[in-house]
Amino acid sequence: MSIRNEKIYLAILSYNLATAGWNDGTLGPLLPRIQEHYHIGYTAVSILFVVSCVGFMVGAVSNVYLSHRLGFGKTITLAAAAQIPAYITMAVAPPYPVFCIALFFNGFAVSLQDAGSNSFIASIPRNEKVNMGILHAIYGVGAFASPFVSTQFSQQKHWSFHYFISTGISIINVALLLYVFRLKSQSHFIPETSHSEQQQQTTSDNLYKRILRQKSVHIMSFFILVYVGVEVTIGGWIFTYLLEERGGGPSAGYVSSGFFGGLTLGRLVLLPINDKVPALTILKRCHEVLMSKQIGHTRVIYIYSFLAIALEFTVWFVPNLIGNAVAVSLVGLLLGPFYPIAMNVIAGLVPRWLLPGSIGWIGAFGPIGAALLPFMTGALASKYGVQVLQPLLIAMMAAQIVLWFFVTRAKVTRED
């Protein structure tokens, strides 16, 4: 693969992931308006996270089979096309059950695209860290831009028309994927590994079995579950929290953009300097495995997690709207590098020919967290008030630290 082609593929898949970011950043500012339009409470509106999660899970479980049977190009393009009718349905503000069904299919489509983009970039044999950082930074750009637009629509009579903009973005996505990848398999663009013959002879059932034998995949899956759950819970509920607990107005919806903006900046700015962290005194007493070449700069996740927890304590105990908004943005900055670091780590732990399916499996747990933790927040908020948000986030981040410790102890099982 030439450097020019590598840049083209990275650009197209970055736009593809930006549409996923746009999708993820949309819902938070619209939640109060959805509650008002459908006359529902916290628990009922939280079902939106659940149906999206179920769609994502179905997509992730289907990913191994579809990628094996159809190939990368057909799978990711058809998935992108499936978002178009889903967005059109949501744009007309249909009855709530229909709205939920459309969100299910949208989650299914995003799941397949997320797995395809991540596995393709992780399989490129050079610049893995840089490319993965760029890919997820552009995801953050989409998530950063979306709340600006959805906040404006949340104040309009036809709030659901926001999804017409999403439809246009998805149409462009499909056109780009068709033009560049032309429905062809990943092997057409990336040279086969030494295990290509074995991969071709392996059935989809055997692929599932081989993936499920990878302990590192299971540990990373639960880490991603908590991480994405934290990310979506903040992005989805912080507007409601500031509105009710800090007396914020409609413009508080822009805080979601601040969070995702911080997420983007973290992936652009922090990833390049993470390799310098081993010199820090605080890490000198870490376990030997933390100093290994295999995980490299991933040690910084401990530092970023503790700093993020400290910032969440300030949001919890300092009743200042501006101060809280700044703290939330800084939390986004610190959490930003987590996902690309995790994808880089798993790419070094499993055989390359299992990477697409492994990333798809890991990706399935992200939306489980993206549904489970925000739904839990909504259910508890219905009973105790939205002030439960901050202690829940702190508990989730603490669990994240524990899971990352086990990730760094996972053994390498690569065979290529």
Side-chain angles (χ1 to χ4, degrees), residues 311-329:
L311 287 167
E312 285 299 332
F313 271 110
T314 67
V315 177
W316 186 4
F317 292 109
V318 179
N320 182 281
L321 181 60
I322 296 176
N324 291 172
V326 172
V328 168
S329 298

Side-chain angles (χ1 to χ4, degrees), residues 135-147:
L135 181 73
H136 287 278
I138 303 304
Y139 163 91
V141 171
F144 170 73
S146 180

